[in-house]
Amino acid sequence: MDFNHFLNSLLVILNEMSPYVLLGFFIAGLLHVFVRPETMSRHLAGPGWRPVVKAALFGIPLPLCSCGVLPTAVSLRRQGASKAATTSFLIATPQTGVDSIAATYSLMGLPFAVIRPIAALAGAVFGGMAVDKFDRERSGTAMTSAVASFDDIPSGFFRKLVEAVRYGFVDMVASVGKWLVIGLVIAALITVFVPDSLFLGLSQYPLLGMLVMVAVAVPMYICATGSIPIAVSLMLKGLSPGIAFVLLMAGPAANFASMIVLSRTYGKRATAIYVASVVVTAVAFGMLIHYMMPGSWFTPRLEAVAAHCHVSFAWWEIVCTVLLVGLLIYASIKNRNHSHNHNLNIDMTKEYKVSGMACAHCKATVEKTIAALPGVESVTADLKNGTATVEGNPDPEAVAEAVRLAGFECEAKA
């Protein structure tokens, strides 16, 4: 009975989300093709509030997770973006994205979908301005980039459109898919096995509940889209919308892995401001939702799951679900086959330990960064083992330095 309820809960959530997630992936592909980092960086240089606000507005629609955003931010920084603007970009980007905003609307309704990017914008501007005031770089000289271009975008509108579809439905699914599946499974498990009374007491003390949620969310690694079904399931079990909102904002934006890399790249002070901005903004908006807004605005759309009843699905929802599941399976097989493709000449192969890779976007960044170096014939990054296997005869120090400049830690294995 519980297993059938688990499958029914999983299917309901997946059917509600799949059309919006697919739409978000397609828009993400369009942004990837038509909005270039070098174009953004021209608007993000210099002191003051304008670059900070622009960086937040650029980052909000981009569907990058907290680890995937680091290489992009490093690229912007080395193309001339200020530290304040880069911090603003780092805060805003992982908290939202066109895919997560669409999925938030599908499961949580319009108020959540509107407040989420507003909160991301507020936190990003707050953090960026704090860095501008307390940790501004002493030199205004733009940093030259030693990082390879992340993207090879074809020319011509039709070819760009094909590349947008490929990136959105292949690369983005590979990057987000694992965490989306984890979020869906956790949400279904919560729906079935967590007693309704568990979170009722916590909701009576909203500030305490939000601080507890911060303590739970920060060590987690979950993307902005994957956090949505978890938050919905907790709300269906009695958790207040304000506390659930803290999970939506703090979970995707801050995790230990990204904070370690960020500390080494931008410094401890900027990292502290980054984390404080995420936490303060999430709690502030959570309190605003709890005390100032009607609870009827924040009713999840999955009452059928909570009521243990069977529901019918529209044909187009079923088609979208089948397509999304197929894309997830394809991405998993593609990643597995690629990670096992190590038929290299051992005499020209060197393995490097790379710290900080956590998704397909990170993996692709490391591979493209190393592949651009002189003497590299091929490179394969392995997410599971945290390694990069390089065939050819590049300078090992150049490889390690290029990977560090891309936002990761790297050293050659003995």
Side-chain angles (χ1 to χ4, degrees):
M1 182 66 178
D2 283 342
F3 182 71
N4 290 335
H5 185 205
F6 168 80
L7 291 179
N8 185 63
S9 301
L10 185 63
L11 189 58
V12 169
I13 299 172
L14 187 57
N15 273 275
E16 287 283 347
M17 288 184 67
S18 58
Y20 298 91
V21 171
L22 291 174
L23 175 62
F25 283 152
F26 177 64
I27 297 175
L30 295 177
L31 290 172
H32 169 80
V33 170
F34 292 102
V35 180
R36 306 292 297 142
E38 53 266 30
T39 302
M40 292 193 295
S41 64
R42 289 199 297 268
H43 296 275
L44 307 185
W49 63 270
R50 292 181 185 275
V52 171
V53 174
K54 288 181 180 179
L57 293 174
F58 280 138
I60 284 173
L62 295 180
L64 294 175
C65 59
S66 58
C67 66
V69 71
L70 287 171
T72 306
V74 170
S75 175
L76 292 174
R77 176 83 174 111
R78 298 191 178 280
Q79 291 176 26
S82 68
K83 181 183 283 189
T86 306
T87 302
S88 177
F89 182 83
L90 282 166
I91 294 172
T93 306
Q95 291 182 324
T96 61
V98 287
D99 57 330
S100 63
I101 294 173
T104 301
Y105 172 76
S106 71
L107 292 188
M108 308 185 78
L110 183 62
F112 263 124
V114 171
I115 295 174
R116 196 174 186 183
I118 292 175
L121 175 64
V125 172
F126 173 74
M129 292 306 299
V131 168
D132 185 67
K133 181 175 179 60
F134 298 110
D135 194 31
R136 183 187 301 177
E137 58 266 17
R138 289 180 170 83
S139 172
T141 305
M143 302 172 68
T144 58
S145 176
V147 183
S149 174
F150 293 153
D151 311 307
D152 301 314
I153 305 300
S155 59
F157 178 80
F158 180 75
R159 294 178 65 188
K160 286 185 176 180
L161 191 61
V162 172
E163 171 62 17
V165 172
R166 187 206 64 78
Y167 179 83
F169 294 137
V170 178
D171 290 356
M172 271 302 302
V173 172
S175 179
V176 176
K178 173 183 175 181
W179 308 108
L180 176 60
V181 171
I182 291 174
L184 289 168
V185 171
I186 292 175
L189 290 173
I190 290 173
T191 301
V192 176
F193 295 107
V194 174
D196 294 351
S197 60
L198 182 62
F199 295 103
L200 294 178
L202 192 62
S203 295
Q204 295 177 2
Y205 305 95
L207 181 57
L208 175 62
M210 291 173 195
L211 295 178
V212 170
M213 189 58 70
V214 168
V216 172
V218 169
M220 291 174 62
Y221 181 86
I222 190 74
C223 71
T225 303
S227 66
I228 297 166
I230 299 176
V232 170
S233 295
L234 292 175
M235 288 177 62
L236 292 174
K237 290 296 179 178
L239 195 70
S240 73
I243 300 177
F245 186 80
V246 173
L247 171 63
L248 289 177
M249 303 306 291
N255 62 76
F256 288 150
S258 63
M259 285 190 286
I260 291 173
V261 176
L262 190 63
S263 177
R264 295 176 180 176
T265 306
Y266 291 92
K268 295 181 179 178
R269 181 177 296 182
T271 303
I273 293 173
Y274 168 87
V275 176
S277 301
V278 170
V279 173
V280 170
T281 306
V283 172
F285 274 83
M287 296 293 283
L288 180 67
I289 290 172
H290 186 87
Y291 285 109
M292 303 296 293
M293 298 183 182
S296 58
W297 286 9
F298 305 100
T299 303
R301 295 184 171 187
L302 296 178
E303 293 87 351
V305 178
H308 301 254
C309 60
H310 297 283
V311 294
S312 59
F313 306 117
W315 67 266
W316 59 274
E317 290 180 332
I318 297 175
V319 170
C320 289
T321 297
V322 171
L323 177 59
L324 180 58
V325 171
L327 291 171
L328 290 169
I329 294 173
Y330 173 76
S332 176
I333 295 173
K334 184 172 179 289
N335 285 339
R336 184 177 294 111
N337 289 341
H338 186 63
S339 65
H340 285 83
N341 187 21
H342 295 296
N343 297 321
L344 305 174
N345 185 343
I346 193 65
D347 294 330
M348 298 181 63
T349 300
K350 192 171 187 64
E351 193 171 75
Y352 296 82
K353 180 66 177 178
V354 181
S355 302
M357 293 191 299
C359 69
H361 186 277
C362 302
K363 177 179 180 292
T365 297
V366 170
E367 290 177 340
K368 291 183 179 181
T369 298
I370 298 176
L373 297 174
V376 175
E377 297 181 10
S378 67
V379 55
T380 301
D382 190 323
L383 276 178
K384 182 179 179 180
N385 298 321
T387 60
T389 304
V390 181
E391 182 181 13
N393 58 350
D395 181 0
E397 292 185 2
V399 172
E401 180 64 15
V403 174
R404 291 190 192 104
L405 290 174
F408 305 91
E409 290 297 311
C410 179
E411 61 180 351
K413 298 184 71 174

